[in-house]
Amino acid sequence: MTNIPKHIAIIMDGNGRWASKRSLPRIVGHQQGVKAVRTVVKACGAMGVKTLTLFAFSSENKNRSTEEVSLLFKLFLTVLKQEVKKLHKHNVCLKIIGDLSLFPKDVQETAAQAQAELANNSGLTLVIAANYGGQWDIAQAAKQAAQAAIKGEITPDDITIDSFANYLSLASEPAVDLLIRSSGELRISNFLLWDVAYSEFYFTDTLWPDFDEAELNKAIDSFNHRDRRFGARKET
């Protein structure tokens, strides 16, 4: 591969359908999805991707059944505890974005501890979007900018596209080059609305638990055949 995206973002969709097709509980699909995460994280680290952002739990997911949301919380907590040592071994830096106030206290504490333990690693940056929404991200950025203006730190005229981006959750990460969505859905579901302004999109019918390194390579190969002009006119 001649051109590896610096930043890949993935909407991991299809866990529930994967389980339903096998007459299994939905949580089994989510558990199998964790295996796909491990595969993709390892592959991205090996090929030199700088940042991988995964949509783990959207702000709309809280509208699912109480039982499923509770099980997702427990799974998230278990995975955090189990994966920290493995991520550290592979020099992965972990960041978690989103409104974690929805999560139980033990999940919040474990998330903070995991990020602290991996903060100084210099390999792949793994960003987990949990209780995250693109509209929420822009709104909280606007709130921060407004608070800075009230304090006299900035004026409204100081707010530009570049300066506003500094208040967003992914301010310290490179722009998203490639957005992947599994399971055949053709939408971005309120994910990284600001950050994917000039991203290349790749949609696959593969359900997330079946997404593997070969599927990742297909997405990157497609990316390599795109003509990225960022709004500029193509020279003829």
Side-chain angles (χ1 to χ4, degrees), residues 17-35:
R17 272 169 284 171
W18 184 93
S20 296
K21 287 176 64 176
R22 293 161 176 78
S23 299
L24 297 170
R26 288 177 63 86
I27 191 61
V28 176
H30 294 303
Q31 291 168 340
Q32 290 297 313
V34 172
K35 296 181 179 180

Side-chain angles (χ1 to χ4, degrees), residues 97-154:
I97 62 174
D99 181 8
L100 296 188
S101 64
L102 173 71
F103 288 77
K105 187 175 180 181
D106 55 348
V107 174
Q108 295 182 47
E109 291 174 347
T110 300
Q113 182 178 350
Q115 291 179 90
E117 290 183 24
L118 303 174
N120 295 322
N121 288 342
S122 58
L124 172 73
T125 295
L126 173 61
V127 181
I128 302 296
N131 193 28
Y132 173 90
Q135 292 172 330
W136 166 87
D137 198 2
I138 295 170
Q140 66 85 27
K143 185 182 296 184
Q144 290 183 52
Q147 290 171 341
I150 290 172
K151 294 176 182 178
E153 298 170 354
I154 62 172

Side-chain angles (χ1 to χ4, degrees), residues 174-222:
V176 176
D177 295 306
L178 173 62
L179 172 69
I180 300 170
R181 179 165 188 156
S182 60
S183 87
E185 300 292 352
L186 304 179
R187 55 180 178 269
I188 60 174
S189 296
N190 194 22
F191 184 43
L192 303 178
L193 297 180
W194 180 285
D195 308 272
V196 299
Y198 282 100
S199 303
E200 298 298 325
F201 290 3
Y202 178 85
F203 299 101
T204 174
D205 290 333
T206 301
L207 301 177
W208 179 248
D210 294 325
F211 195 94
D212 56 15
E213 187 171 357
E215 291 292 332
L216 177 65
N217 288 336
K218 287 180 185 177
I220 295 176
D221 182 63
S222 175

Side-chain angles (χ1 to χ4, degrees), residues 13-14 96 206:
D13 195 20
I96 301 176
T206 301

Side-chain angles (χ1 to χ4, degrees), residues 31 34-43 45-46 78-94 114 117-119 121-126:
Q31 291 168 340
V34 172
K35 296 181 179 180
V37 169
R38 293 191 186 107
T39 298
V40 170
V41 169
K42 182 178 180 181
T78 300
V79 170
L80 279 174
K81 290 180 176 179
Q82 290 178 343
E83 300 299 317
V84 169
K85 289 185 179 180
K86 296 176 185 177
L87 293 173
H88 188 57
K89 179 181 178 181
H90 290 94
N91 198 29
V92 174
C93 175
L94 175 67
E117 290 183 24
L118 303 174
N121 288 342
S122 58
L124 172 73
T125 295
L126 173 61

Side-chain angles (χ1 to χ4, degrees), residues 43-82:
C44 285
M47 68 178 62
V49 173
K50 185 179 187 313
T51 305
L52 172 65
T53 300
L54 302 178
F55 204 8
F57 189 89
S58 79
S59 53
E60 287 74 33
N61 286 158
K62 63 180 179 291
N63 296 320
R64 296 183 179 184
S65 71
T66 302
E67 180 183 12
E68 183 175 2
V69 171
S70 177
L71 289 171
L72 285 172
F73 284 161
K74 291 179 181 178
L75 179 61
F76 188 45
L77 179 62
T78 300
V79 170
L80 279 174
K81 290 180 176 179
Q82 290 178 343

